Amino acid sequence: MEREPPHRRHGADHPALDRVRREGRWWWLQARHARRVWRWALLAAVLVFVALVLLRRPLADWFWDEPQIEQLLAEGDRALAAGRLSADDGSGARERYQAALALDGDRLQARQGLARTGAAALRQAGERLQADDLDGSAKALALARELQVPQGQADAVAQQLQARRSAGAGIGALLAQARNAFAAGRLDDGDSSALPLFQRILALQPDNLPALEGREDALSDLLQRARALAARGELAQAAALLQRARQFDAGHSDLPASQEALARALDQRLRQGQRALKQQKLEAAADAFEAVLAVAADDPNALRGREQSAQALLARSQRHAADFQFEAAEADRARAAALGASQAALQQAAQRIQRAQQARQAQQQPTLSAAQRERQLRDRLRQIDRAEREGRWISPPGHSAFDALREAQSLAPRDARVRAAAARLLPASRQCFNDNLRQNRVQAAGACLQAWQTLAPTAPGLPSARVRLAQRWLAIGSERLGRGDVAFAEAAVAQVRQLQPDLPELDAFEQRLRQVGAESWRR
């Protein structure tokens, strides 16, 4: 028979006993678990105690110092914003940031605050220097150096401070000297005159009110002198005074009116020059145009008037030479050169004077015998023939067909051979002009045209020939200008102005020439 388990044998009859047994085991398990919890709690308490003992100082610093540091940083920021950079009672920005660093030497905000305080001190030093508070500037500069601002910036302010202190003692003396110069009427006659002295004071003390007022009065007198000079036609001197006034104070209230007075005087002088040119008062015209250009170098009307004056002087030089007035002819030629006449025109004028001198010498030769006169006449006729064959119609001076003809005419003006040579040279000079013009040899064509108009000054074909040559000069000049040859284009303009100054195409070509010249200058 199978045996029953013990608990079945003994508990079947006692269920209460089984419950007791079960409850007793649960209590024992609970007690065992409680003992384990207490052991771990005790261990944790011991560890916390040890940590408190070992970390009591850092923890105390953290609990007590952190709020204090934040407060110091905030107070430093407020002091810096209010401009209290340093204070003996410790409420300045520097003292607050330094106190924060004393509590925490690694606090970045405190170091940055000190750097900002140093920069503010340097700015304050400059501001107080401008306000003429030298002691305050020195104090702020010392604070900036203590806070280790860049040395170069601090040294720059220090130099200005030293210069201001050095000059401070002499400001009163300079001011008195400037006032005396102003009272004596010495406004701008050197370093010891009124305006330069006032300017020296203002360079040291820009806000010096007596110096500002003195400069204002002196400039008013200087500009009044400029207006008086302009009214008398002394334009260059008036312009120089205006320029000096701008250097002292470009915003002076009298400058616009003075500039307007100079502009009116320039316009009046220009009209005077134009009237004088029409009346053939060439020296007066040239002086007027030169006076305007001395102030306004780019004035187109004055430039055109000066060119026309030079051409008129060269024409008058030719008339003087024909009348054997050689000194007057040379004087006109020299004045035309001073006005900027072209080298080609000046050379032609010199050749005309030379020919006139040779003709005068031929007339003054002693009386020749018939045989001597015949020999010389034949020699001149042979020179004419040789010069014709070689195309030397009017140049070089002394060896041209025209020069030989003039000498032959002086020897025997009624001789049939001389008249035949003159008649032969006239159509030959016309043909020479046409041939050279057709081949675009404008220089040679010009020489032939001179021979033509010398032999027959009233020939009906001369006006159209001059127009054709002037137009050809412009055509070739335009082509050369397109290739960048500005010098030839300028020479072409000079030739056209001498040949036909009222040619309609000339103004447009000159405008193009100026544009190309300006572009090449900018490059």
Side-chain angles (χ1 to χ4, degrees):
M1 185 174 179
E2 186 176 355
R3 183 175 297 177
E4 295 180 357
H7 67 277
R8 296 291 302 271
R9 291 197 306 268
H10 299 291
D13 299 332
H14 304 286
L17 182 60
D18 289 338
R19 186 173 67 252
V20 170
R21 287 174 178 167
R22 287 194 301 271
E23 290 175 356
R25 183 172 178 79
W26 175 85
W27 177 85
W28 180 83
L29 291 173
Q30 291 292 327
R32 185 178 178 183
H33 178 69
R35 286 194 299 272
R36 287 179 179 174
V37 172
W38 278 105
R39 282 198 298 268
W40 284 108
L42 180 60
L43 179 60
V46 171
L47 291 176
V48 170
F49 177 76
V50 172
L52 289 173
V53 171
L54 296 177
L55 302 176
R56 65 186 184 278
R57 180 62 179 273
L59 289 173
D61 290 346
W62 186 83
F63 277 112
W64 295 103
D65 291 347
E66 184 64 22
Q68 187 177 2
I69 291 173
E70 292 296 333
Q71 181 180 357
L72 288 171
L73 291 175
E75 292 174 352
D77 291 343
R78 287 194 295 271
L80 180 58
R84 295 195 318 276
L85 307 184
S86 181
D88 295 336
D89 61 0
S91 62
R94 176 180 66 168
E95 290 77 18
R96 288 308 188 192
Y97 291 132
Q98 287 177 343
L101 276 179
L103 294 175
D104 184 359
D106 296 328
R107 186 58 63 101
L108 179 60
Q109 296 93 323
R111 295 188 182 279
Q112 291 175 341
L114 286 175
R116 294 199 308 273
T117 304
L122 189 62
R123 287 195 302 273
Q124 191 177 88
E127 292 169 357
R128 291 183 176 178
L129 181 62
Q130 293 301 320
D132 207 24
D133 182 6
L134 304 187
D135 293 337
S137 177
K139 185 177 180 181
L141 179 61
L143 175 60
R145 287 191 185 277
E146 290 175 7
L147 294 177
Q148 299 181 352
V149 298
Q151 183 175 355
Q153 299 177 11
D155 289 345
V157 177
Q159 291 175 1
Q160 296 177 22
L161 178 61
Q162 179 62 32
R164 185 67 64 84
R165 281 178 166 168
S166 299
I171 291 295
L174 282 176
L175 190 58
Q177 188 178 356
R179 286 171 171 168
N180 291 335
F182 175 64
R186 292 186 295 106
L187 303 179
D188 188 25
D189 304 327
D191 293 340
S192 62
S193 54
L195 281 167
L197 289 173
F198 284 131
Q199 200 71 3
R200 282 177 57 188
I201 297 170
L202 293 172
L204 298 172
Q205 296 181 358
D207 298 327
N208 189 299
L209 185 58
L212 287 170
E213 292 175 346
R215 185 182 68 177
E216 182 80 9
D217 294 339
L219 282 176
S220 295
D221 286 2
L222 187 71
L223 291 171
Q224 185 177 358
R225 291 183 184 179
R227 293 192 294 271
L229 288 171
R232 293 199 300 268
E234 300 178 27
L235 306 180
Q237 297 89 327
L241 290 186
L242 282 176
Q243 182 61 29
R244 285 290 291 166
R246 287 192 199 93
Q247 293 173 359
F248 288 115
D249 182 10
H252 194 276
S253 59
D254 289 345
L255 263 175
S258 302
Q259 187 65 46
E260 178 73 19
L262 178 60
R264 288 195 303 270
L266 284 170
D267 187 59
Q268 181 181 0
R269 194 79 168 106
L270 182 62
R271 291 196 301 270
Q272 290 174 354
Q274 292 168 341
R275 285 195 300 269
L277 184 60
K278 290 180 180 179
Q279 297 168 3
Q280 287 298 300
K281 298 177 181 179
L282 303 183
E283 289 80 3
D287 290 342
F289 295 131
E290 289 281 83
V292 173
L293 291 172
V295 178
D298 297 329
D299 187 282
N301 294 320
L303 288 171
R304 187 179 299 109
R306 184 174 65 179
E307 291 178 4
Q308 293 171 348
S309 299
Q311 294 165 11
L313 284 166
L314 290 175
R316 194 173 70 179
S317 173
Q318 182 177 1
R319 293 194 298 271
H320 286 322
D323 295 336
F324 302 139
Q325 299 177 9
F326 301 121
E327 290 185 3
E330 284 290 353
D332 284 344
R333 179 180 176 276
R335 186 62 191 272
L339 292 175
S342 67
Q343 288 300 318
L346 293 172
Q347 185 177 3
Q348 292 167 4
Q351 291 173 356
R352 287 192 291 266
I353 294 173
Q354 184 178 358
R355 291 190 186 97
Q357 290 173 339
Q358 291 171 352
R360 181 65 170 172
Q361 290 173 0
Q363 291 180 2
Q364 293 176 347
Q365 287 180 352
T367 304
L368 300 175
S369 64
Q372 291 174 330
R373 188 181 301 276
E374 180 63 22
R375 282 195 302 270
Q376 290 188 10
L377 179 59
R378 289 178 181 178
D379 183 58
R380 299 300 180 271
L381 292 173
R382 284 193 296 269
Q383 289 179 8
I384 293 173
D385 293 337
R386 188 163 53 249
E388 281 185 88
R389 289 193 301 270
E390 296 175 1
R392 293 183 282 107
W393 304 106
I394 198 166
S395 63
H399 301 281
S400 66
F402 176 71
D403 290 331
L405 177 61
R406 289 286 298 270
E407 293 179 12
Q409 288 174 334
S410 66
L411 290 170
R414 297 183 178 83
D415 191 280
R417 291 168 296 176
V418 175
R419 291 182 178 180
R424 191 172 65 249
L425 284 181
L426 180 58
S429 63
R430 288 197 301 265
Q431 187 63 38
C432 169
F433 169 77
N434 291 323
D435 291 343
N436 284 290
L437 188 64
R438 188 165 47 250
Q439 299 171 21
N440 286 334
R441 298 172 58 188
V442 286
Q443 291 280 8
C448 297
L449 179 62
Q450 289 182 22
W452 180 6
Q453 63 189 9
T454 302
L455 291 168
T458 60
L462 282 175
S464 62
R466 281 194 292 267
V467 172
R468 288 165 55 204
L469 181 58
Q471 290 173 336
R472 189 63 55 87
W473 267 108
L474 279 189
I476 298 175
S478 178
E479 179 187 355
R480 297 282 286 272
L481 184 60
R483 300 203 300 264
D485 192 348
V486 177
F488 185 89
E490 291 175 345
V493 168
Q495 289 291 338
V496 173
R497 285 211 166 275
Q498 185 175 359
L499 289 165
Q500 199 71 22
D502 56 349
L503 192 68
E505 302 94 319
L506 181 58
D507 289 339
F509 183 76
E510 283 186 302
Q511 178 64 25
R512 180 185 167 199
L513 177 60
R514 283 193 292 269
Q515 292 176 353
V516 172
E519 291 173 0
S520 63
W521 182 83
R522 285 195 295 269
R523 288 197 295 268

